[in-house]
Amino acid sequence: MNQTEPGFWVLEYVTITKDPRTGLVVAIGGTEQAADILQRTGGFLTAPGLRGDYHRLAHGLPIEQQRLKATTASHALLTAGHNVHLDPTLNMLATPDGDRDAALRYLTQLAERASAAETSSAVAEVLTEVAAPVHGLLPLTREVIVRSWIASSDLQGAAPGEEPEPIARLGSTANSLSEAARVILHARNHAARPTQPPAIAPAPASSPSYPAPARRTP
């Protein structure tokens, strides 16, 4: 007996996330009832999009206000029976140490994957996680160092190039991280290449054998 797939009201699902390009908190999907809840409980605004209207928070809101409004709206939607995905970075109810614990587990898993790798491509996958240009661990760590460097300089009122030596060295540390990521990516590219079997040298051609000359007796 042929079974038919159940129907899902996918358009009623609501995703609340932060757009990485604009930094705006947007809500996509949902019904008119969901739109009403977003506007009343979260202060979302309706905006025209390429694929129809969507909802977003106002420009220039502080991060904590973004998180508060997104979390409030998501829980109001859940209470009303809507299916909601809330970006974890916007969830104010997440435990403070949850992200740190997840990061530690992630690093441990990467180390275990590297130890258990049985192919070069498996090693390349681990190295990609470490040094990928945008979301790799090293580039993200470099971003933290650069922002800390800028913030430290601003707080001390130091002009560029006039920071105290320990703070100025953060800049060279960031450059070192960039170089380390470049080296790791180069190794990743090398590991990702298919392994070529070793070339087998052809056997030397055997020289033709001739019968030994007959000995002449005197």
Side-chain angles (χ1 to χ4, degrees), residues 106-176:
Y106 175 58
L107 289 172
T108 301
Q109 290 169 2
L110 281 182
E112 291 173 350
R113 284 173 57 187
S115 297
E118 297 181 353
T119 63
S120 293
S121 60
V123 175
E125 290 174 1
V126 173
L127 295 179
T128 300
E129 295 293 324
V130 173
V134 178
H135 296 300
L137 293 173
L138 277 181
L140 291 175
T141 302
R142 178 189 179 278
E143 183 69 16
V144 174
I145 298 299
V146 169
R147 294 193 181 202
S148 299
W149 175 31
I150 295 172
S152 297
S153 299
D154 291 343
L155 290 172
Q156 297 201 8
E162 299 179 359
E163 306 96 336
E165 193 265 345
I167 294 176
R169 292 185 65 179
L170 289 175
S172 61
T173 301
N175 292 333
S176 298

Side-chain angles (χ1 to χ4, degrees), residues 72-137:
T72 302
S74 69
H75 282 268
L77 288 166
L78 288 170
T79 302
H82 294 273
N83 295 289
V84 183
H85 168 72
L86 175 63
D87 188 331
T89 61
L90 295 173
N91 189 354
M92 290 200 73
L93 302 181
T95 57
D97 292 334
D99 291 341
R100 184 176 184 275
D101 292 341
L104 292 175
R105 288 195 301 271
Y106 175 58
L107 289 172
T108 301
Q109 290 169 2
L110 281 182
E112 291 173 350
R113 284 173 57 187
S115 297
E118 297 181 353
T119 63
S120 293
S121 60
V123 175
E125 290 174 1
V126 173
L127 295 179
T128 300
E129 295 293 324
V130 173
V134 178
H135 296 300
L137 293 173

